[in-house]
């Protein structure tokens, strides 16, 4: 019984289950449209002021006539004609828009809490879907970005977030594209602005980095000293005694006079004489020994050297 009544008023069901209006209702809508156009033509040009709007280059208009979207793409830019008592015009901006996501608490894959704020740039590419598939496209895009941010960052470790931020931003773009496309939105770019770590974690990371830098500096200094000692040894092997004496005097002159250093200057001849006397004394002592004692002493010296 209900099906028969529905067919009488012109309600039909399509193959996908959607309800389509036809019959008497369609004829009535067409009649109202024709009468409205005739009325506008009869009162022209006075009616032109209320039947036209100007849309800017970056604006598009979606016209709903008797509750249905007018066939064709969105109207604009320029003059847009409509029937004021039958049509409702919805305007959309096609320029790139931005969404700022305030700092969100995110837990990484290695259980590190972070505060992350993000900026997302997007634009409307299909005005009809923007008005017919979602109630509030701005709020829907905001909540989608917020949920995607937590899901994507929660799948990565802290080291990845600190070293691979561009890669993670591109991953967010890939996830946002299929989610926002059904309501006519195209995500242009995602930027992770700031990653705020807990204070204790920042201190530990800073201490670790400082320790690494200190160890690296000590290694460089040690390598430099080794190279300098090798170079000095090679240079000393090619210098004559006179040049060594001049180098000795130059080193004494380079000592800072303001430093609390006491320098005793002794001629190198005195040191040389002292060395010769000590060697002569050892030779004389060895000569005074008897032949068996000298042999024992000579045999003991290699043993001492081996020890």
């Amino acid at each position: 019984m209900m099906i028969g009544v529905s067919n009488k008023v012109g309600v039909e069901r399509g193959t996908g289950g959607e309800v389509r209006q036809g019959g008497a209702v369609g004829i009535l809508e067409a009649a109202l449209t024709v009468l409205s156009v005739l009325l506008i033509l009869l009162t022209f040009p006075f009616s032109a002021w209320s039947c036209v709007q100007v849309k800017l280059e970056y604006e598009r208009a979606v016209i709903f006539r008797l509750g249905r979207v007018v066939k064709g793409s969105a109207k604009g830019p320029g003059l847009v004609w409509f029937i004021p008592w039958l049509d409702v015009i919805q305007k959309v901006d096609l320029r790139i828009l931005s969404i700022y996501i305030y700092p969100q608490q995110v837990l990484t894959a290695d259980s590190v809490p972070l505060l992350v704020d993000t900026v997302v740039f997007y634009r409307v590419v299909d005005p009809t879907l923007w008005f017919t598939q979602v109630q509030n496209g701005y709020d829907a895009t905001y909540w989608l970005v917020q949920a995607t941010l937590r899901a994507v960052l929660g799948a990565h470790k802290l080291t990845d977030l600190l070293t691979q931020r561009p890669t993670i931003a591109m991953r967010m773009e890939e996830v946002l594209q299929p989610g926002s496309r059904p309501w006519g939105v195209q995500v242009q770019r995602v930027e992770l602005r700031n990653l705020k770590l807990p204070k204790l974690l920042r201190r530990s990371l800073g201490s670790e980095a400082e320790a690494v830098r200190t160890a690296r500096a000590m290694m460089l200094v040690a390598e430099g000293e080794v190279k300098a000692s090798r170079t000095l040894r090679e240079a000393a092997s090619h210098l004559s005694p006179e040049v060594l004496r001049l180098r000795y005097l130059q080193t004494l002159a380079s000592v800072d006079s303001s430093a609390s250093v006491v320098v005793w200057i002794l001629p190198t001849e005195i040191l040389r004489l002292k060395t010769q006397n000590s060697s002569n004394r050892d030779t004389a002592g060895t000569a005074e020994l008897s032949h068996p004692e000298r042999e024992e002493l000579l045999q003991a010296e290699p043993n001492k050297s081996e020890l």
Side-chain angles (χ1 to χ4, degrees):
M1 188 66 179
M2 293 297 295
I3 297 175
V5 174
S6 298
N7 289 334
K8 287 181 181 179
V9 299
V11 177
E12 300 178 357
R13 291 191 176 274
T15 57
E18 69 276 8
V19 177
R20 296 183 301 174
Q21 300 258 348
V25 176
I27 295 173
L28 180 60
E29 291 178 356
L32 288 175
T33 302
V34 172
L35 292 175
S36 299
V37 172
L38 290 176
L39 180 61
I40 292 172
L41 293 176
L42 291 175
T43 58
F44 192 83
F46 301 102
S47 60
W49 299 106
S50 60
C51 297
V52 66
Q53 287 186 4
V54 178
K55 300 301 177 184
L56 300 178
E57 182 66 30
Y58 55 85
E59 293 178 339
R60 296 296 183 271
V62 179
I63 301 176
F64 292 87
R65 180 164 298 164
L66 295 175
R68 299 184 184 182
V69 178
V70 176
K71 293 182 179 180
S73 59
K75 306 301 185 291
L79 296 178
V80 177
W81 295 89
F82 64 99
I83 303 174
W85 50 85
L86 297 181
D87 297 343
V88 176
I89 296 182
Q90 297 290 343
K91 182 180 67 174
V92 64
D93 194 333
L94 298 184
R95 292 177 294 182
I96 295 178
L97 306 175
S98 62
I99 295 179
Y100 175 67
I101 306 297
Y102 289 93
Q104 303 291 318
Q105 187 77 25
V106 178
L107 189 65
T108 61
D110 49 355
S111 301
V112 177
L114 296 176
L115 283 177
V116 184
D117 56 338
T118 311
V119 178
V120 178
F121 301 91
Y122 70 97
R123 63 187 296 265
V124 178
V125 294
D126 195 328
T128 302
L129 295 177
W130 177 258
F131 289 111
T132 59
Q133 298 299 321
V134 63
Q135 183 180 6
N136 191 330
Y138 301 102
D139 291 344
T141 306
Y142 178 86
W143 294 116
L144 178 64
V145 172
Q146 187 179 27
T148 304
L149 174 67
R150 294 184 176 181
V152 173
L153 297 186
H156 292 79
K157 295 183 179 180
L158 177 62
T159 54
D160 297 335
L161 296 180
L162 296 177
T163 58
Q164 301 179 6
R165 293 175 66 175
T167 304
I168 296 175
M170 293 179 61
R171 174 59 181 164
M172 286 189 61
E173 293 180 18
E174 295 175 358
V175 175
L176 288 172
Q177 287 292 351
S180 60
R181 190 66 183 180
W183 58 70
V185 174
Q186 181 182 8
V187 177
Q188 299 287 331
R189 188 173 181 180
V190 178
E191 288 291 340
L192 301 177
R193 294 185 68 248
N194 187 22
L195 300 176
K196 188 175 182 181
L197 303 175
K199 292 183 178 179
L200 294 177
L201 184 58
R202 291 202 301 268
R203 291 177 182 175
S204 61
L205 291 177
S207 300
E208 182 180 357
E210 184 178 359
V212 171
R213 290 194 297 267
T214 303
R216 190 178 301 170
M218 294 177 65
M219 291 178 61
L220 292 176
V221 171
E223 291 177 358
E225 290 180 354
V226 170
K227 292 180 180 179
S229 62
R230 290 177 180 175
T231 304
L232 289 174
R233 185 174 61 185
E234 293 177 359
S237 62
H238 298 287
L239 295 179
S240 61
E242 290 77 9
V243 176
L244 286 175
R245 189 177 296 108
L246 292 175
R247 182 60 180 169
Y248 170 70
L249 296 175
Q250 184 180 1
T251 303
L252 293 177
S254 62
V255 176
D256 189 2
S257 60
S258 62
S260 58
V261 179
V262 178
V263 180
W264 295 89
I265 302 175
L266 295 176
T268 56
E269 289 78 5
I270 296 177
L271 297 176
R272 189 179 303 170
L273 290 175
K274 184 177 180 182
T275 305
Q276 291 178 357
N277 293 332
S278 59
S279 60
N280 294 332
R281 193 179 302 110
D282 294 338
T283 305
T286 306
E288 293 176 358
L289 296 176
S290 60
H291 182 71
E293 292 177 351
R294 284 201 301 270
E295 291 182 353
E296 292 179 0
L297 182 60
L298 292 175
Q299 291 178 358
E301 287 181 354
N303 296 331
K304 292 180 181 180
S305 62
E306 291 179 359
L307 294 176

